[in-house]
Structure formats: structure tokens, C-alpha cells
Amino acid sequence: MAYVHLEVETRTGVGWLWLARPEKHNALSADMWEEIPAAVSELSAAEEARVIVVAGKGPSFTVGIDIDMLSSLQPPGRSQTETRMALYREIRRLQGTMSSFANSPKPVIAAVHGYCLGAGIDLITACDIRLAAVDSVFSVRETKLALVADVGTLQRLPGIVGVGHASELALTGGDIDAARAERIGLVNRLHPDTAALHLAAQELGEEIAANSPLAVAGTKAVLAAGAEMTTDQALDHVALWNAAFLHSNDLTEAMAAYAERRPPHFTGT
């Protein structure tokens, strides 16, 4: 499928989704909000891609929502109620764009360099793993624009960095550098430059892709479900999951490969 400001490719088991509007620092235009779920769906369905990496072309990951698009978010309506309902539906649609990363059955790695502002935080917090270059700058920028962040940051960020750090970032709208982002757990690891970052994202993706697709998808699903459960509920959930999916061709292959001292070849069945 052809996209306006996105590019999709697959490299050795890893699907790459590129934000490709470099002249605008990958500011998320209307077409990008519309097409990101389709691109994620395409990679989620691709057998040759077992992991997804989302990255940015040019000098930055993304500076967030395109300001021109933001200024136009006033849907028409015949009354104030209709206008407000239309805006509510539009916000929910934009939330769905970011949730497409969280809802993919495949692990999603965010590879961040340069600016990651506003909606960029919404995006990366919907991913499973976050890597960054040392030049990265992060900001929950909405407060400085007289907005309440509304497409995922306030819901996901506290679970990643803790309520205190999330509150400070969201209430000030200030910038933090990559070193602090790593210290507070917003990113898993830092890399010296963009080239090293993208190489590391590919290598990490390949390491994950070498595992059983069933086990990887199950682990992502169980982690997500467990976040909303008590420990006992989460234990029961994973017991039910494995009761349904433990006996697979991949498990048989894993045991055979171990006995034969060879790398396993998993098929996801």
C-alpha cells in the first residue's frame, strides 16, 4: 500500500514503519493520523515481519501534531452540542491512531532521535520498547499550548516512569534530554547517534523475532492484560492462556532444537 508521509519495509524479520515527512520534522499531518493504523495493520499481518520498529526520517523522530491540523480541529455542527460531539469523536479517532501500536499483536519498538514532542510521547508510550539516540529531546508539550494531552500520554506515561515524573513532565511542558529520559525509564537504552540507534533497533528486533511468534504475541498480550489486574487475577489469566496455547508446534520444535543442539525454527503454529 502506498502512503503519503509513511514508508514501510521489512528487514530480516523486522518490519519498519518510517515517519517520512523530514522537511517538517515529521510533524503528524492529517494523512499520517489516518494512515498510521493502516500501516501498523499491514505490518501486523505480514508473516515476514515478526517485530515492528517505528522510526523517523530526517533530523527528528517527530515534533508532534502538525500545528495547521491542530488549528483546524473545530468540526462543524448545527449546534454547540453537535460541534462538541464531533470533536469528541475526532479525539477518539486520534486516540485510535496511537492505540494501534499498543493493539498490534506484535512487539513494537520506538527508535527515537532528535525531537520527540507532544504527540510523539503519545506514540512512543503506546510502544512496547523505547530506544533513543543521545541527541533526543522529549517533551509533553501540550500544556504549553493550553491543551490537556488527550491521545494517550496521561494514561500510559505514569505506568512507565511513575506518577511523579509523569506529573512533572505533563504539568510543566518542559523538555528533558535523553540522559534523564533513560534515568526515569522512559527509554530502555541510549545509543551514540541515529545510525547506531537504527542498527540497535534492528538487532533487538531480530533477537525478538528469533523466538516463537506465539510466545512473543502471548507475552505481549499477557503483559497488557495484567496491567489492569490484581496479581492473582493476572496469574489466573496466564494459566488460562497457556492452557489454551502451550501445546504448539513451536514448543515441540523448541524441545527438539534443544536436544539436537541447534537453533530452533519457529513457524508460529
Side-chain angles (χ1 to χ4, degrees):
M1 179 175 175
Y3 302 101
V4 179
H5 290 119
L6 303 176
E7 295 178 12
V8 171
E9 62 175 313
T10 302
R11 308 176 186 172
T12 319
V14 181
W16 283 75
L17 195 169
W18 293 96
L19 307 178
R21 200 184 178 205
E23 72 284 358
K24 296 288 187 180
H25 289 262
N26 295 318
L28 299 174
S29 53
D31 57 272
M32 296 171 82
W33 288 92
E34 175 120 4
E35 292 180 346
I36 283 173
V40 173
S41 180
E42 177 184 338
L43 289 171
S44 296
E47 291 186 9
E48 65 273 21
R50 294 185 174 183
V51 179
I52 298 170
V53 174
V54 56
K57 297 272 188 177
S60 290
F61 181 73
T62 178
V63 292
I65 192 169
D66 189 294
I67 295 298
D68 290 338
M69 179 184 169
L70 182 62
S71 64
S72 69
L73 283 180
Q74 297 185 20
R78 291 190 296 272
S79 68
Q80 286 190 1
T81 298
E82 283 191 349
T83 298
R84 289 167 181 164
M85 283 303 298
L87 181 55
Y88 168 80
R89 288 191 293 269
E90 179 66 0
I91 293 169
R92 291 292 285 169
R93 182 183 72 83
L94 300 180
Q95 290 171 348
T97 293
M98 296 311 178
S99 292
S100 66
F101 295 102
N103 293 337
S104 172
K106 297 179 178 178
V108 183
I109 301 168
V112 179
H113 75 286
Y115 288 115
C116 179
L117 311 179
I121 304 295
D122 295 299
L123 194 163
I124 67 170
T125 55
C127 297
D128 301 289
I129 298 169
R130 289 157 293 280
L131 308 178
V134 294
D135 71 341
S136 301
V137 176
F138 301 84
S139 176
V140 182
R141 190 58 63 86
E142 286 86 348
T143 313
K144 288 191 177 297
L145 298 174
L147 296 168
V148 175
D150 60 4
V151 289
T153 289
L154 299 185
Q155 292 68 42
R156 296 187 174 104
L157 185 61
I160 296 169
V161 303
V163 175
H165 290 300
S167 296
E168 179 186 345
L169 294 176
L171 292 172
T172 64
D175 296 348
I176 63 169
D177 61 18
R180 184 176 176 197
E182 183 185 38
R183 283 198 305 272
I184 66 176
L186 179 57
V187 299
N188 295 57
R189 288 197 294 275
L190 297 181
H191 299 279
D193 53 40
T194 304
L197 166 70
H198 292 163
L199 178 61
Q202 177 67 29
E203 291 175 345
L204 179 59
E206 289 180 17
E207 183 178 356
I208 295 170
N211 293 322
S212 161
L214 286 175
V216 168
T219 298
K220 176 170 179 172
V222 168
L223 280 170
E228 306 297 326
M229 298 177 179
T230 66
T231 299
D232 190 61
Q233 289 170 333
L235 287 168
D236 187 63
H237 178 77
V238 72
L240 289 169
W241 184 281
N242 273 349
F245 296 110
L246 181 67
H247 296 290
S248 66
N249 292 334
D250 278 358
L251 177 61
T252 302
E253 169 63 9
M255 292 188 293
Y258 179 80
E260 297 166 13
R261 298 185 178 183
R262 60 171 174 81
H265 176 68
F266 295 120
T267 61
T269 62

